[in-house]
Amino acid sequence: LLEYALRYMAKEGAVSSFLEVRENNHAARDMYRSFGYEETGRRKRYYKDNDEDAILMSLDTLDRFKT
């Protein structure tokens, strides 16, 4: 699903992608890294249900997803 979304975004002219993920969601963070995302920041106590931090992740180029 993520690959489809990134390919669609690239086709529509997007050049980068940004997201945030719960700090303790290691499986998601690993998956995003496998697509080329890098951790670029943190939002302290972002999630109000447990005050967990959000990790900001960036994919600077979508070139590899262009068809």
Side-chain angles (χ1 to χ4, degrees):
L1 185 58
L2 178 58
E3 184 173 350
Y4 174 83
L6 292 170
R7 287 186 187 283
Y8 182 81
M9 291 164 49
K11 178 182 170 189
E12 292 296 310
V15 295
S16 59
S17 175
F18 306 93
L19 57 84
E20 51 201 31
V21 61
R22 287 181 180 266
E23 179 179 27
N24 288 324
N25 192 342
H26 299 289
R29 290 168 64 186
D30 289 345
M31 181 193 68
Y32 294 135
R33 276 193 289 273
S34 77
F35 278 87
Y37 283 87
E38 296 181 2
E39 296 183 6
T40 55
R42 172 182 300 264
R43 294 185 197 275
K44 291 284 194 180
R45 297 181 301 280
Y46 181 77
Y47 294 98
K48 299 304 174 199
D49 61 336
N50 64 357
D51 286 332
E52 186 174 2
D53 291 355
I55 302 299
L56 308 177
M57 300 186 80
S58 302
L59 181 59
D60 290 335
T61 180
L62 297 180
D63 287 346
R64 74 182 244 205
F65 298 98
K66 291 180 180 177
T67 55

